Amino acid sequence: MGDARRRHRRTEKARPQDRGSPAGSLSRELFTAMDVHTVEMWGPPGPPRGSEAGRIPSYVCAVVRNAMAFLASGGADAADAVLFPHTCDSLQGLATLAPDLGGWEKPSFRYHPPKGEDRRSARAFLRAELERLAGEIARWTGRSLSVPRLAEAVALHADIDRLRGSFLCRRAFLDMTDAELYRLLRRGEFLWPGDHLSELRAATHRLGKEPVQRGVPLMITGYVPEPMSLFDRLGSAGAYVAADDYAAVGRRLPIDSPAGGGDPFAALVDKTFSMPPCTTRAADQGRRMDFLMEKYRRSNAAGVIVHIPKFCEPEAFDVPAVLRRFAEIGAPLLLLEGELETDLSAQAGTRLEAFVEVVSARRRSP
């Protein structure tokens, strides 16, 4: 779920703790084209705030529970509207519960990306969905969508995706700690896209021609990198993230550059279906496992961390398949489940350190 701010407020910086569920990365171009500033929320992390914390039962994932409490307690009152993407049934349910239970009284938008694999009917549905959402944004802002302006927004976000992808794909050559890298990438959740692009360009000088990472290379897959202190613990244990498969990070970057043939809506449709396989889009499980195995091999990772929020159904559905496929090749694997904490628990930190030690010992053995 992401809240949208009009551009005249673009100088405001969202506090890191004000992040919550996703704004729907495939619709940000529409908002950018109409000068609306989007701020993503992923939770936010930490205990649900205020008396509204109990409005959603504890067996629903913390992303949705925290978002409901955050909205109802006024945490997003600076925003003018909110977008609820249908990434899962719980988040889609929030789109109904928040207005009904008093969590949100301003305009709400909904975005329904197609589920499953690429097919003609899914492409037709997605285009119609994008055009419907564009019409709603136009009525809300009082300005029509300019096709040339949308083309500019598509190109702007494509440049951002390209640079973000280069940092992740060439991770071993990037002179940054994981904590620095993820802070940079996640600033795109609340910065105006042009400002974020400038930051990314400024950081390209830290990409070298020779590997600079000397720690244990690991692949990490999951929903959202919270708590961010996980990366500090990994670094202190002597490891780094060589391959990223977070739904909030790596899975948002297209594998191939979308074509579109000059039609910005066609480019957005192409972008959707060039994304890595993702649980939130009900990707074919076998195809997703093949993708993860290839990413693991190409990154020269020595182990895998599966990091998901408790009760996150889309991610949990694929966990048995991930465990099975990596067990087949004897890859060390650590499963971490959390409640979207603000800091990594002592127990989780100890498990991380022990896992890195085991992987490191395996690498040293003949």
Side-chain angles (χ1 to χ4, degrees):
M1 172 201 60
D3 51 31
R5 303 174 187 224
R6 298 185 189 276
R7 191 177 180 181
H8 67 261
R9 291 182 178 172
R10 59 170 289 218
T11 56
E12 299 176 0
K13 296 292 188 286
R15 300 188 304 275
Q17 66 267 29
D18 285 352
R19 298 175 184 151
S21 18
S25 62
L26 303 184
S27 61
R28 295 194 74 175
E29 291 88 345
L30 299 178
F31 287 98
T32 301
M34 282 186 262
D35 295 326
V36 177
H37 183 182
T38 58
V39 177
E40 299 181 23
M41 299 189 340
W42 292 85
R49 299 157 172 80
S51 60
E52 294 81 6
R55 291 187 175 183
I56 296 180
S58 59
Y59 53 78
V60 176
C61 82
V63 172
V64 172
R65 284 190 284 112
N66 288 19
M68 178 66 188
F70 186 67
L71 290 173
S73 62
D77 281 357
D80 298 308
V82 66
L83 169 68
F84 296 96
H86 191 172
T87 53
C88 67
D89 289 344
S90 296
L91 191 54
Q92 185 61 20
L94 181 64
T96 299
L97 292 176
D100 287 353
L101 298 181
W104 190 254
E105 297 178 354
K106 297 179 183 180
S108 297
F109 302 105
R110 290 167 175 77
Y111 175 63
H112 299 83
K115 304 295 184 180
E117 298 304 301
D118 189 358
R119 56 197 186 281
R120 183 180 301 177
S121 59
R123 285 177 171 265
F125 172 85
L126 176 57
R127 176 155 190 144
E129 183 67 7
L130 289 168
E131 291 175 345
R132 177 198 61 77
L133 180 59
E136 289 189 3
I137 300 170
R139 287 188 291 274
W140 172 57
T141 59
R143 62 183 66 176
S144 59
L145 174 64
S146 161
V147 173
R149 183 72 183 95
L150 179 58
E152 291 176 3
V154 168
L156 171 62
H157 285 274
D159 286 343
I160 291 172
D161 290 341
R162 178 180 54 80
L163 288 176
R164 289 163 63 94
S166 67
F167 290 149
L168 290 174
C169 291
R170 301 182 61 201
R171 180 68 188 97
F173 300 83
L174 181 63
D175 186 20
M176 283 186 185
T177 65
D178 286 336
E180 290 177 307
L181 174 59
Y182 279 87
R183 279 197 295 269
L184 172 64
L185 297 179
R186 298 199 68 196
R187 282 172 64 81
E189 296 172 7
F190 58 87
L191 284 180
W192 182 253
D195 296 339
H196 185 45
L197 179 60
S198 297
E199 284 194 336
L200 293 171
R201 285 173 172 165
T204 55
H205 75 279
R206 301 182 70 173
L207 268 174
K209 296 182 179 180
E210 300 293 332
V212 294
Q213 297 297 328
R214 300 289 181 249
V216 177
L218 299 174
M219 184 171 86
I220 192 162
T221 179
Y223 187 65
V224 59
E226 292 287 2
M228 292 282 281
S229 58
L230 175 145
F231 302 114
D232 294 319
R233 295 299 291 266
L234 273 179
S236 64
Y240 74 98
V241 178
D244 174 282
D245 185 59
Y246 274 117
V249 186
R251 289 186 224 160
R252 301 175 66 161
L253 303 176
I255 299 171
D256 303 307
S257 298
D263 178 355
F265 278 105
L268 291 177
V269 172
D270 285 344
K271 178 180 177 179
T272 301
F273 291 104
S274 65
M275 295 282 193
C278 184
T279 60
T280 64
R281 296 191 301 274
D284 177 80
Q285 193 176 80
R287 176 171 169 260
R288 181 165 182 252
M289 294 307 109
D290 291 342
F291 175 83
L292 291 178
M293 295 296 292
E294 180 65 16
K295 178 182 283 285
Y296 181 78
R297 293 191 179 101
R298 295 180 69 172
S299 67
N300 294 314
V304 183
I305 297 174
V306 179
H307 177 216
I308 64 173
K310 288 179 66 176
F311 309 118
C312 178
E313 292 183 352
E315 292 293 309
F317 285 149
D318 273 14
V319 166
V322 173
L323 298 179
R324 182 173 60 253
R325 286 294 295 272
F326 282 96
E328 290 173 356
I329 63 170
L333 186 145
L334 173 67
L335 174 60
L336 280 180
E337 287 187 305
E339 286 280 7
L340 215 66
E341 303 92 343
T342 53
D343 198 6
L344 200 66
S345 68
Q347 181 187 50
T350 300
R351 293 182 63 211
L352 265 181
E353 292 168 354
F355 178 69
V356 173
E357 186 176 336
V358 169
V359 175
S360 181
R362 286 183 51 144
R363 296 182 79 208
R364 292 193 301 266
S365 63

